[in-house]
């Protein structure tokens, strides 16, 4: 019997994943595998109504009962002042049900669908998700600006990052005294359990947690790689795992459209806000809509009501009404989530229908899914979509309706009109306009009940309220009485304590654009730098295999088959001899570097009107940014903010990182920092990227000027020196840059609203010299302070206009050596070192008698069999030439194939 097998058994046995908690957890959750490079497993809820069809009363009751508990926690007065926010796409219906249980409180859910004319009151990212960008688009821009409790609802509370980042951002703009986090299950790890209380202290507010059950997931080492391998093993060339994607079949019958008669004045959900008057109007309209649906379904016995992505609440209420009318109804929704399907009773996702997106999504076309629908024995399905999604793609031969019709005999299409807000700061709905808006709880639970707050509100408090409640018990509670009203919809009542206003007190209008992007990554969780030294505006791709052999990368890059930022070179592991060269170079050049650090920092401080915010271009600029921060602290007692961002030649700077910076700092204070200039390509790239960002975002103030340690190419105005000398941080890769990789920009890993990616090479900690490099240079600050003061005075009075002589030299060399591509000519010690470490070098041009500055270059060239050609009149100490026509059979100057060492 399928029903006696836990639907997480298949994953648990193959990956060693353990679900730890009370006896109720296996009934609430199953396990599946994500088709997602960021996280292997998926907790599949049996009561959410997303991936697993469930009785609508169970789904609605699960959220409603949580809302009742929040109401008890807050007390009637605070409950009447509260606002509820749910998360797209999974928790939109759950959040709305919680709002109903709370007393039909004002409700808003995040959305991935931008709406013309509706200003955003915020946006945020969900780092582990397949599709991360969320917007908050309230019709009333003041909805989130009140000082009553804010209740945030998600299906699962695991790390808590998404919810806590949301609270942090909103609290900065609209501070309040109390927040309540609500989830079906609390699945935090032991490491995360103390974060909530610490977070509450940090923001100075009370934060409560209300959940239905608690437990955790124990993941073995390497679970991501094992999960990805398991997914690959079960995906066939036709993308059909174990036959769990049913083969195409001729539709059994043509779909039938039913006119619901949904009033256009009632929002289709909480995308723009949904208040008590809307709830009262919906309750009044539901009986007639239910009657029309029943007529269209005829004598169908087993019925599935299928919602559409974020549109979960409207179809759920229709399903509940059908169920109360005596029909055998299940409920689930389509989804964006790519999940492996395996037809096994011990696996949570048995079948998968695949169809194209049909609502013209802002992030472009893509696959959508309906799970556990095919083969489930339904003889009728009601597909509920909003009018924006009623497109030709929906009705196409491979569209959702055709997929459903191939497996279910009777398909009914019900279209809910997409709500179009009448936006404007004056548009609010007073509770007094709709005194009947309070609604009784369904099935005799008594939504008007409430208790006094269990304790006085404290300025700082974190409290967790968890009760293990399985879905059947929730439904039993809601059906405790058998009065005739049990089969009716919730009706209006005049109980005053259940009548919340759906407008917020007067406040400043929410800004059109806000950054709820993730907080910067910091050491020691990401990088070996101390957390205060730098915040990385990157997403962590440490668990993704990105490295490729040097020769394969070079061939792909030069053939146009791939961009250099789409993969990573295998991290160079220096020999003992090379490491000795690094330490010797550091010893001899530390004072010269300290002098350059002091010079560039003092120049920035002298010429920047405000307090500088250092933004280094990862990763070569990051050690320089840390050193500049240390200089400002040591010499002036300044604690400068420092972040690292990604910039990619040909792709520009990370626009989402700029958005984050603009939301947290004055763009005019930002100073971009890099290690050195070569021919000035990144200087030009940044200038163009800033112009494009200003055009696209309307955010101005960023100065594209780069401050660099060394400017041998004469490409910038702000520099520590224009000498081309050895900067030891150029000798190594991640082991001198906080163990962070070069940044990655690849479409399948980095979405349009994600930070660029990077890896933390924790496994190289034993050979990490990042902090040794910083400490060696900082130890020389006092020694060079007098020289710096004198040099900066002279520098500020000098003409520092860039001459771009480096670019002219590169163009000349490109033609002289028959390369005809300036991108394959890498001038300067730093860039030449990169060629030898990361690319396929052809030859090295060296300034005659360059001396010790080139000792490491000569050693690397010898190890890779690359000739070093000494030339006169070279404006740089050296220039690295990448093989101009590289394939894996290409030869170097010696006639032998170029092979990495």
């Amino acid at each position: 019997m399928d029903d006696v097998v836990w639907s997480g058994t298949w994953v648990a046995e193959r990956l060693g994943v353990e679900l730890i908690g009370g006896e109720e957890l296996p009934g609430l959750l199953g396990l599946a595998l994500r088709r997602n490079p960021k996280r292997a497993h998926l907790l599949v809820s049996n009561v959410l109504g997303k991936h697993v069809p469930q009785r609508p009363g169970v789904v609605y009751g699960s959220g409603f009962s949580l809302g009742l508990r929040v109401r008890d926690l807050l007390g009637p007065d605070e409950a009447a002042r509260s606002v509820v926010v749910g998360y797209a796409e999974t928790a939109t219906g759950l959040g709305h049900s919680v709002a109903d249980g709370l007393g039909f409180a004002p409700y808003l859910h995040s959305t991935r669908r931008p709406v013309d004319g509706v200003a955003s009151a915020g946006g945020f990212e969900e780092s582990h998700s397949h599709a991360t960008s969320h917007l908050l688009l309230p019709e009333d821009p003041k909805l989130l600006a009140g000082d009553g409790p804010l209740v945030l609802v998600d299906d699962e509370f695991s790390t808590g990052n998404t919810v806590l980042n949301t609270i942090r951002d909103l609290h900065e703009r609209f501070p309040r005294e109390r927040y309540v986090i609500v989830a079906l299950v609390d699945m935090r790890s032991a490491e995360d359990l103390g974060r909530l209380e610490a977070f509450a202290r940090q923001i100075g507010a009370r934060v409560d947690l209300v959940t239905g059950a608690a437990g955790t997931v124990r993941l073995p080492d390497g679970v991501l790689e094992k999960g990805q391998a398991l997914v690959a093993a079960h995906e066939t060339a036709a993308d059909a795992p174990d036959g769990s994607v049913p083969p195409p079949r001729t539709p059994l019958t043509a779909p039938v459209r039913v006119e619901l008669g949904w009033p256009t004045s009632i929002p289709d959900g909480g995308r723009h806000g949904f208040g008590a008057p809307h709830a009262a109007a919906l309750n009044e309209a539901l009986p007639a809509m239910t009657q029309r649906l029943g007529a269209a379904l005829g004598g169908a016995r087993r019925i599935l009501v299928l919602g559409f992505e974020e549109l979960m609440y409207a179809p759920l209420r229709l399903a509940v009404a059908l169920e109360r009318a005596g029909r055998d109804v299940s409920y689930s929704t389509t989804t964006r989530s790519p999940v492996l399907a395996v037809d096994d009773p011990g696996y949570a996702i048995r079948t998968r229908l695949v169809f194209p997106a049909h609502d013209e999504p802002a992030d472009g076309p893509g696959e959508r899914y309906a799970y556990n629908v095919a083969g489930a024995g339904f003889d009728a399905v009601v597909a509920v979509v909003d009018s924006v999604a009623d497109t030709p793609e929906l009705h196409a031969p491979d569209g959702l309706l055709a997929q459903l019709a191939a497996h279910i005999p009777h398909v009914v299409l019900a279209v809910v009109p997409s709500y179009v807000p009448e936006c404007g700061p004056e548009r609010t709905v007073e509770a007094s306009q709709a005194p009947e808006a309070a609604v009784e709880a369904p099935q005799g639970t008594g939504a008007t009940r409430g208790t006094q707050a269990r304790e006085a509100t404290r300025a700082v408090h974190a409290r967790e309220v968890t009760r293990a409640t399985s879905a059947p018990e929730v439904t039993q509670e809601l059906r405790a009485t058998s009065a005739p009203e049990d089969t009716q919809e919730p009706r209006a009542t005049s109980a005053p304590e259940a009548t919340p206003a759906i407008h917020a007190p007067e406040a400043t209008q929410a800004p059109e654009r806000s950054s709820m992007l993730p907080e910067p990554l910091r050491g020691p969780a990401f990088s070996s730098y101390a957390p205060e030294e730098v915040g990385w505006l990157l997403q962590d791709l440490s668990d993704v295999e990105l490295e490729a052999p040097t020769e394969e990368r070079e061939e792909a890059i030069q053939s146009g088959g791939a961009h250099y930022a789409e993969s990573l070179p295998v991290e160079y592991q220096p020999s003992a001899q090379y490491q000795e060269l690094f330490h010797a170079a550091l010893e001899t050049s530390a004072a010269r570097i300290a002098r350059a650090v002091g010079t560039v920092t003092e120049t920035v401080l002298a010429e920047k009107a405000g307090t500088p915010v250092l933004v280094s271009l990862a990763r070569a600029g990051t050690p320089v940014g840390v050193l500049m921060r240390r200089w400002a602290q040591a010499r002036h007692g300044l604690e400068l903010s420092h972040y690292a961002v990604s910039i990619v030649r040909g792709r520009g700077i990370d626009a989402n990182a700029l958005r984050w910076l603009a939301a947290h700092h004055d763009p005019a204070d930002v100073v971009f920092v890099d290690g050195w200039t070569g021919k000035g390509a990144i200087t030009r790239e940044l200038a163009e990227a800033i112009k494009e960002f200003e055009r696209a975002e309307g955010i101005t103030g960023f100065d594209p000027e780069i401050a660099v340690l060394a400017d041998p190419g004469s490409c910038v105005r702000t520099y520590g020196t224009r000498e081309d000398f050895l900067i030891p941080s150029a000798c190594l890769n991640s082991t001198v840059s906080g163990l962070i990789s070069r940044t990655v920009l690849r479409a399948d890993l980095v979405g349009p609203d994600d930070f660029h990616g990077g890896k933390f090479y924790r496994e190289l900690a034993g050979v990490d010299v990042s902090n040794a490099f910083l400490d060696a240079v900082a130890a020389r600050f006092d020694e060079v302070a007098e020289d710096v003061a004198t040099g900066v005075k002279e520098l500020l009075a000098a003409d520092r206009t860039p001459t771009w002589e480096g670019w002219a030299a590169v163009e000349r060399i490109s033609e002289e050596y028959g390369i005809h591509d300036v991108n394959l000519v890498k001038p300067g010690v730093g860039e030449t070192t990169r060629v030898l470490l990361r690319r396929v070098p052809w030859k090295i041009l060296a300034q005659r008698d360059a001396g010790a500055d080139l000792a490491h270059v000569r050693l690397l060239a010898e190890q890779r069999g690359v000739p070093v050609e000494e030339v006169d009149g070279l404006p740089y100490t050296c220039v690295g030439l990448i093989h101009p026509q590289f394939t894996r059979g290409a030869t170097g100057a010696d006639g032998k194939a170029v092979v990495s060492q």
Side-chain angles (χ1 to χ4, degrees), residues 76-98:
D77 293 340
E78 287 294 279
R81 300 173 61 238
S82 62
V83 176
V84 181
V85 173
Y87 287 87
E89 65 177 35
T90 309
T92 59
L94 175 67
H96 211 145
S97 302
V98 169

Side-chain angles (χ1 to χ4, degrees), residues 519-523 526-527 529-538 614-616 622 626 641-645 660-661:
E519 289 301 296
L521 301 172
R522 296 185 183 273
F526 188 84
S527 90
Y529 293 137
E532 68 275 8
E533 301 262 43
V534 60
W536 302 83
L537 295 177
L538 298 174
L614 304 178
V615 177
S616 58
T622 306
V626 175
S641 296
H642 175 215
Y643 307 98
V645 303
W660 190 95
L661 289 166

Side-chain angles (χ1 to χ4, degrees), residues 440-750:
E440 286 186 0
Q443 303 168 342
T445 57
T448 59
R449 73 184 178 94
T451 63
Q452 295 297 317
R454 293 186 175 92
E455 55 186 318
T457 301
R458 292 174 293 181
V460 179
H461 178 65
R463 185 162 173 259
E464 299 170 22
V465 186
T466 305
R467 182 176 64 189
T469 307
S470 67
E473 291 171 338
V474 171
T475 309
Q476 226 170 20
E477 178 186 348
L478 291 176
R479 293 180 175 176
T481 62
S482 57
E485 289 84 1
D486 286 354
T487 58
Q488 299 175 1
E489 281 302 307
R491 62 184 185 278
T493 179
S494 58
E497 67 171 14
T499 311
I502 74 164
H503 72 290
E506 290 296 324
T508 304
Q509 180 170 338
E512 290 191 8
R513 194 76 184 246
S514 167
S515 172
M516 280 188 174
L517 290 158
E519 289 301 296
L521 301 172
R522 296 185 183 273
F526 188 84
S527 90
S528 59
Y529 293 137
E532 68 275 8
E533 301 262 43
V534 60
W536 302 83
L537 295 177
L538 298 174
Q539 63 165 316
D540 187 356
L541 299 180
S542 300
D543 295 327
V544 182
E545 187 67 38
L546 294 168
E547 291 75 13
T550 303
E551 290 76 20
E552 291 182 13
R553 292 185 73 248
E554 193 65 49
E555 182 176 9
I557 292 167
Q558 291 198 33
S559 68
H563 191 276
Y564 78 89
E566 293 177 352
S567 63
L568 293 174
V570 177
E571 277 289 300
Y572 170 71
Q573 298 301 304
S575 65
Q577 184 182 4
Y578 189 87
Q579 290 184 60
E580 288 176 8
L581 275 177
F582 166 81
H583 288 290
L586 180 56
E587 177 64 27
T588 58
S589 63
R592 186 160 51 164
I593 297 168
R595 190 178 301 113
V597 168
T599 300
V600 69
T601 308
E602 294 294 346
T603 303
V604 167
L605 293 173
E607 296 189 332
K608 207 67 176 170
T611 301
V613 175
L614 304 178
V615 177
S616 58
L617 304 180
R619 70 185 166 183
T622 306
V624 179
V626 175
L627 285 169
M628 291 177 67
R629 184 183 182 279
R630 287 191 179 188
W631 179 278
Q633 183 183 48
R635 304 302 302 174
H636 301 283
L638 294 175
E639 293 286 346
L640 301 185
S641 296
H642 175 215
Y643 307 98
V645 303
S646 169
I647 187 169
V648 176
R649 179 172 51 78
R651 305 284 179 86
I653 196 167
D654 187 341
N656 289 309
L658 294 183
R659 279 182 52 208
W660 190 95
L661 289 166
H664 292 79
H665 299 280
D666 184 344
D669 292 336
V670 167
V671 177
F672 294 103
V673 175
D674 208 356
W676 56 84
T677 64
K679 55 183 173 286
I682 290 299
T683 306
R684 297 185 179 197
E685 187 79 40
L686 180 61
E688 288 301 314
I690 294 297
K691 288 180 184 177
E692 176 57 32
F693 179 78
E694 290 180 346
R695 284 195 296 267
E697 301 288 335
I699 298 174
T700 59
F702 286 109
D703 183 351
E705 176 75 26
I706 304 178
V708 299
L709 199 63
D711 180 35
S714 188
C715 306
V716 299
R717 290 187 69 258
T718 308
Y719 52 84
T721 180
R722 275 185 169 156
E723 296 178 14
D724 183 20
F725 69 93
L726 171 61
I727 302 172
S729 61
C731 291
L732 301 171
N733 284 330
S734 68
T735 52
V736 77
S737 302
L739 297 181
I740 300 302
S741 72
R742 201 211 62 235
T743 59
V744 175
L745 179 57
R746 205 171 82 188
D748 61 327
L749 298 173
V750 180

